[in-house]
Amino acid sequence: MSLEKLINNCKQGNRKAQEELYRKYSGVLFGMCLKYSRNKTEAEDNLHDSFMTIYNKISQFRNKGSFEGWMKRITVNTVLQKYRKDQYLNVVSENMGDEVDIQPDHTEDIKLSTLLGYIQELPNKYRLTFNLYVLDGYTHKEISELLGTSTGTSKSNLARAKMILKEKIEKENINIA
């Protein structure tokens, strides 16, 4: 079935089409959920919530631009909305000044799964900011709008996330050596 036909069938509420859409895109969207979640279970919940939103809003997709990009945007917004609603994004401080760029030494020695684990262990506000900025290319202005914070808070949270990751990576390198 073509993507256009699949989308149209989903707009009609066809359960088989929704199931096919899930099978086709759940892997990609689960990866996104995993980036923004603290663990696999939370990522699975976020994936489920994202697909419910996609099914409910699919009639708003106007076949302009990438359908996968549209679903990814819904997924990110669904996850961020959950964190905003649950008050996980309380501001600590906005006094970090200019953005700090921290480059840990020997990052090539860290396995990707280990690094992903470190990112998932970050406090919510740091993990979300880090992923939006570093992995998804959002600006601090965009992040502040998505998370309902200031650009200064976004910069501060990114700097702190990088510092925490650097410390964990350095500790890992000490344990490897």
Side-chain angles (χ1 to χ4, degrees), residues 31-97:
M32 292 201 65
C33 289
L34 201 53
K35 279 193 317 190
Y36 292 99
S37 303
R38 291 176 291 215
N39 54 51
K40 185 178 176 186
T41 302
E42 188 175 280
E44 290 168 348
D45 289 345
N46 288 332
L47 178 67
H48 172 73
D49 293 344
S50 296
F51 266 102
M52 294 308 294
T53 303
I54 289 166
Y55 296 147
N56 289 332
K57 294 188 175 198
I58 198 161
S59 63
Q60 296 175 10
F61 181 71
R62 303 285 179 228
N63 296 323
K64 293 180 181 174
S66 162
F67 181 66
E68 185 174 328
W70 180 81
M71 289 192 309
K72 285 179 178 180
R73 183 66 129 174
I74 285 180
T75 300
V76 169
N77 287 334
T78 299
V79 173
L80 295 180
Q81 185 177 30
K82 182 185 254 185
Y83 287 118
R84 279 194 302 263
K85 183 171 47 173
D86 291 342
Q87 299 294 321
Y88 284 124
L89 299 173
N90 294 329
V91 177
V92 174
S93 172
E94 296 182 19
N95 298 325
M96 281 298 285

Side-chain angles (χ1 to χ4, degrees), residues 35 41 71 74 87 103 114 119-120 122 149 155 173:
K35 279 193 317 190
T41 302
M71 289 192 309
I74 285 180
Q87 299 294 321
Q103 298 295 326
T114 303
I119 292 170
Q120 288 177 318
L122 289 170
T149 61
K155 290 177 182 181
N173 284 335

Side-chain angles (χ1 to χ4, degrees), residues 3 7 11 78 98 144 161 172 175-176:
L3 180 58
I7 292 168
K11 286 179 180 181
T78 299
D98 292 333
S144 68
E172 174 78 13
N175 291 337
I176 291 174

Side-chain angles (χ1 to χ4, degrees), residues 14 30 53 103 107 110 128 139 141 153:
N14 181 308
F30 181 70
T53 303
Q103 298 295 326
T107 55
I110 299 289
L128 295 173
T139 65
K141 184 175 188 283
T153 298

Side-chain angles (χ1 to χ4, degrees), residues 107-154:
T107 55
E108 65 276 358
D109 296 337
I110 299 289
K111 292 180 182 176
L112 183 59
S113 60
T114 303
L115 185 57
L116 179 59
Y118 291 162
I119 292 170
Q120 288 177 318
E121 291 172 1
L122 289 170
N124 290 321
K125 60 188 170 205
Y126 300 158
R127 184 184 67 253
L128 295 173
T129 303
F130 180 85
N131 286 333
L132 287 166
Y133 188 86
V134 175
L135 303 178
D136 293 332
Y138 285 84
T139 65
H140 286 295
K141 184 175 188 283
E142 292 169 324
I143 294 168
S144 68
E145 290 168 2
L146 284 169
L147 301 181
T149 61
S150 72
T151 55
T153 298
S154 176

Side-chain angles (χ1 to χ4, degrees), residues 1-7 9 16-17 20 24:
M1 180 182 311
S2 73
L3 180 58
E4 188 175 329
K5 184 169 174 81
L6 182 61
I7 292 168
N9 287 346
K16 293 271 188 203
E20 186 174 335
K24 186 171 185 161

